[in-house]
């Protein structure tokens, strides 16, 4: 561990807000600041943000941590960046923006994702590692090319929110391999803008930024902005990577066999491999962290939100009781689930309430309870929901293990980790040891560590494991794991049997004139 004095600034440009931390060289966070901003959603499919609002948040959060920390600016070794993936901003020739930041959540290009899949099959995914989905900048460019041709012609550069911030700081268009690997435009093997994909997007490479490694350092930022933030203009600025891959780093899930799992509102399973890989069945993404560290994984829509649905739709009385007792309604749901045997007495929940990304990549997927009898109670529904969310994530974990070595440990995070029952269930269903790292700002911390590595202040990013504590650890309980080993194949078989009918249901909903989402 590094013990010499000094500090690192790290900023994470997220979708709900921008966070900046100042940490010591051992990873201890000295100060942090967060500024949130809204998503502009004038239609249900639109999800845009104001890039200038975000740029202001970068300036202000940085200024705040510098002011409040009392640390002398010369003691700061570098400033490193994390950012949300998949955003698109169109800039004109004079460096003025022509669009807002179109975020990953924007769904307006959905029909063009289907078109690319029909026309090109899995080829584009295999070249780039980015799933063909409306979140992908490639798909957004194809949509804009065809549906907003005037705007498309006027745009001189297509950039992400991180490039926008770097353009303000340095008047240069640069993009790191990590952000680029999430655009759907980067060739994973060559690490260049893929000519075949660019042709589909209808652009030349000069419409995109210069590619640099995630450890690339820029210096001599605009003096005006350095003064506003109270930092030296020659502070080394490390370009960094995306929030997803840096979160793996910040959680200490970086060595072979260590898998990061999150169940928040949505969910994800991710592991680091030494070379880029893609999945012949296109269930997984592959994004760069460094040239020797690639994050493979899958993001699921149906994480904790499926439990929230159970709480809101099935547990009115419990929510009321919780309010009267002044406790969290989820605690009551957990107590109910605890009274039900492992496996919910033959009840299986497929949690696809929001359609699904990984492992199904099917927007028409829908939720179901399978195996209901008169004997099942509300408590069974709750337990089956907790189990079903985990079975779905186990499918992603299994897909991942086709490409990584068998997992030896799971580092788990997200709101689910507040419940001991759900944590133990993860250990039992995944049949793995689960650790809950003591982490608060994993993407920021990941950026800080990458910054130190870029400066040669640490010899390897694996040093992170010395900086991360843990709050809980669970071993699988053999008897429970044995029951889940029997149920999981049934979960998968039932899913295989019904998933071919999700399209039929989508057609029916359209005929019935119902909203399909
Ligand atoms: P986000 O991903 O939006 O940041 P969180 O990580 O806080 O959100 O996760 C929210 C989810 O965590 C909820 O939808 C719920 O499923 C779960 N959750 C929240 N509180 C609890 C709790 N006390 N016990 C179990 N699960 C919880």
């Amino acid at each position: 561990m590094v013990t010499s004095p000094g500090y690192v600034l790290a900023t994470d440009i997220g979708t709900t807000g921008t966070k900046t931390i100042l940490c010591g060289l051992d990873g201890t966070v000295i100060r942090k600041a967060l500024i949130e901003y809204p998503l502009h959603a004038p239609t249900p499919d639109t999800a845009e943000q104001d890039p200038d609002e975000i740029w202001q948040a970068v300036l202000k959060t940085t200024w705040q941590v510098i002011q409040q920390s009392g640390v002398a600016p010369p003691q700061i070794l570098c400033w490193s960046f994390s950012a949300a993936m998949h955003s698109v901003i169109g800039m004109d020739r004079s460096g003025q923006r022509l669009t807002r930041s179109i975020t990953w959540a924007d769904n307006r290009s959905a029909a063009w994702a289907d078109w690319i899949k029909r026309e090109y099959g899995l080829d584009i995914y295999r070249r780039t590692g980015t799933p063909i989905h409306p979140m992908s900048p490639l798909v957004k460019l194809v949509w804009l090319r065809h549906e907003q041709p005037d705007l498309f012609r006027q745009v001189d550069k297509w950039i992400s929110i991180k490039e926008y911030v770097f353009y303000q700081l340095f008047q240069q268009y640069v993009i790191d391999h990590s952000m680029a690997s999430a655009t759907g435009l980067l060739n994973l093997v060559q690490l260049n803008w893929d000519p075949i994909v660019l042709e589909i997007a209808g652009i030349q490479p000069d419409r995109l930024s210069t590619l640099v490694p995630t450890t690339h350092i820029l210096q001599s930022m605009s003096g005006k902005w350095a003064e506003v933030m109270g930092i030296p203009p020659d502070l080394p600025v490390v370009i960094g990577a995306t929030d997803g891959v840096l979160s793996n780093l910040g959680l200490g899930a970086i060595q072979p066999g260590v898998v990061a799992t999150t169940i928040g509102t949505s969910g994800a399973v991710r592991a680091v491999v030494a070379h880029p890989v893609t999945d012949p069945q296109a269930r997984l993404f592959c994004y760069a962290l460094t040239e020797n560290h690639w994050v493979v994984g899958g993001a699921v829509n149906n994480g904790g939100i499926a439990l929230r649905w159970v709480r809101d739709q099935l547990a009115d009385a419990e929510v009321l009781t919780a309010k009267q007792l002044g406790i969290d309604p989820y605690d009551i749901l957990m107590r109910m689930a605890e009274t039900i045997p492992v496996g919910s007495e033959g009840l299986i929940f497929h949690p696809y309430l929001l359609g699904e990304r990984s492992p199904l990549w099917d927007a028409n997927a829908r939720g179901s309870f399978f195996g209901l009898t008169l004997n099942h109670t509300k408590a069974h529904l709750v337990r089956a929901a907790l189990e079903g969310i985990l079975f779905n994530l186990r499918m992603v974990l299994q897909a991942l293990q086709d490409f990584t070595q068998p997992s030896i440990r799971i580092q788990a995070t997200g709101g689910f980790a507040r419940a001991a029952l759900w944590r133990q269930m993860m250990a039992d269903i995944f049949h793995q040891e689960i650790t809950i790292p003591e982490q608060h700002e994993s993407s920021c911390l990941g950026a800080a560590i990458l910054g130190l590595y870029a400066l040669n202040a640490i010899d390897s990013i694996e040093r992170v494991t010395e900086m991360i504590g843990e709050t809980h650890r669970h071993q699988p309980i053999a008897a429970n794991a044995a029951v889940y080993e029997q149920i999981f194949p049934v979960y998968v078989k039932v899913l295989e049997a019904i998933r071919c009918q999700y399209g039929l249901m989508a057609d029916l909903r359209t005929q019935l004139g119902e909203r399909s989402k």
Side-chain angles (χ1 to χ4, degrees), residues 172-469:
Q172 284 179 42
Y173 288 117
V174 275
I175 183 168
D176 55 83
H177 287 145
S178 181
M179 290 292 288
S181 68
T183 61
L185 303 164
L186 186 82
N187 185 295
L188 283 187
V189 179
Q190 320 270 345
L191 287 186
N192 62 3
W193 296 122
D194 188 292
I196 292 179
V197 180
L198 259 51
E199 205 175 310
I200 298 168
I203 55 171
Q204 298 290 325
D206 63 359
R207 290 280 172 276
L208 300 170
S209 301
T210 305
L211 288 159
V212 294
T214 54
T215 47
H216 182 73
I217 296 174
L218 292 97
Q219 243 159 334
S220 20
M221 74 178 83
S222 142
K224 171 172 122 192
W225 298 126
E227 199 181 327
V228 165
M229 291 180 280
I231 54 179
D234 59 352
L235 179 68
V237 180
V238 179
I239 194 161
T242 69
D243 55 359
V245 301
L246 286 171
S247 165
N248 258 64
L249 177 56
L251 292 171
I254 185 89
Q255 295 144 314
V258 182
V259 174
T261 303
T262 307
I263 305 180
T265 302
S266 56
V269 180
R270 302 180 307 256
V272 173
V273 291
H275 306 285
V277 286
T278 54
D279 171 19
Q281 295 176 54
R283 291 162 299 178
L284 306 171
F285 57 70
C286 178
Y287 301 134
L289 171 54
T290 73
E291 284 64 39
N292 307 318
H293 298 86
W294 292 78
V295 176
V296 193
V300 310
N301 291 342
N302 299 285
I305 196 160
L307 183 69
R308 197 172 82 192
W309 173 80
V310 169
R311 183 196 68 186
D312 295 347
Q313 302 305 326
L314 306 179
D316 279 358
E318 289 74 14
V319 170
L320 199 65
T321 310
K323 267 193 192 143
Q324 284 160 353
L325 296 174
I327 59 174
D328 186 337
Y330 286 120
D331 289 344
I332 298 197
L333 293 187
M334 295 300 151
R335 278 183 222 168
M336 289 165 73
E338 231 157 11
T339 64
I340 304 300
V342 169
S344 303
E345 296 190 297
L347 184 62
I348 291 179
F349 177 61
H350 291 101
Y352 307 116
L353 307 180
L354 278 173
E356 192 50 292
R357 286 184 283 167
S358 200
L360 309 184
W361 292 100
D362 186 354
N364 291 326
R366 287 298 179 268
S368 51
F369 282 104
F370 179 81
L372 272 169
T373 70
L374 277 181
N375 293 331
H376 287 127
T377 62
K378 198 192 281 184
H380 286 88
L381 301 185
V382 174
R383 180 156 192 132
L386 297 171
E387 292 175 341
I389 293 166
L390 288 167
F391 285 138
N392 184 45
L393 284 166
R394 177 161 165 184
M395 284 183 70
V396 183
L397 181 66
Q398 286 202 332
L400 196 64
Q401 288 182 346
D402 291 347
F403 306 97
T404 58
Q405 69 177 69
S407 57
I408 47 170
R409 186 158 42 89
I410 307 280
Q411 302 274 87
T413 56
F416 99 104
R418 284 176 216 141
L421 174 75
W422 213 0
R423 294 195 303 264
Q424 182 61 48
M425 215 182 259
M426 180 184 275
D428 296 341
I429 288 180
F430 286 11
H431 214 154
Q432 294 281 322
E433 180 184 276
I434 307 286
T435 341
I436 311 297
E438 189 181 35
Q439 59 77 43
H440 304 288
E441 326 292 346
S442 60
S443 296
C444 270
L445 185 59
I449 292 160
L450 188 61
L452 286 174
Y453 176 64
L455 287 187
N456 287 322
I458 52 175
D459 56 3
S460 137
I461 57 173
E462 273 83 5
R463 283 295 163 104
V464 63
T465 49
E466 299 161 20
M467 303 179 185
I468 309 283

Side-chain angles (χ1 to χ4, degrees), residues 38-42 46-50 99-103 106 108:
L39 210 57
H40 298 272
T46 308
E48 294 187 335
Q49 289 182 314
D50 181 345
T99 69
R100 284 183 175 151
S101 174
I102 309 172
T103 69
D106 196 293
R108 284 171 292 174

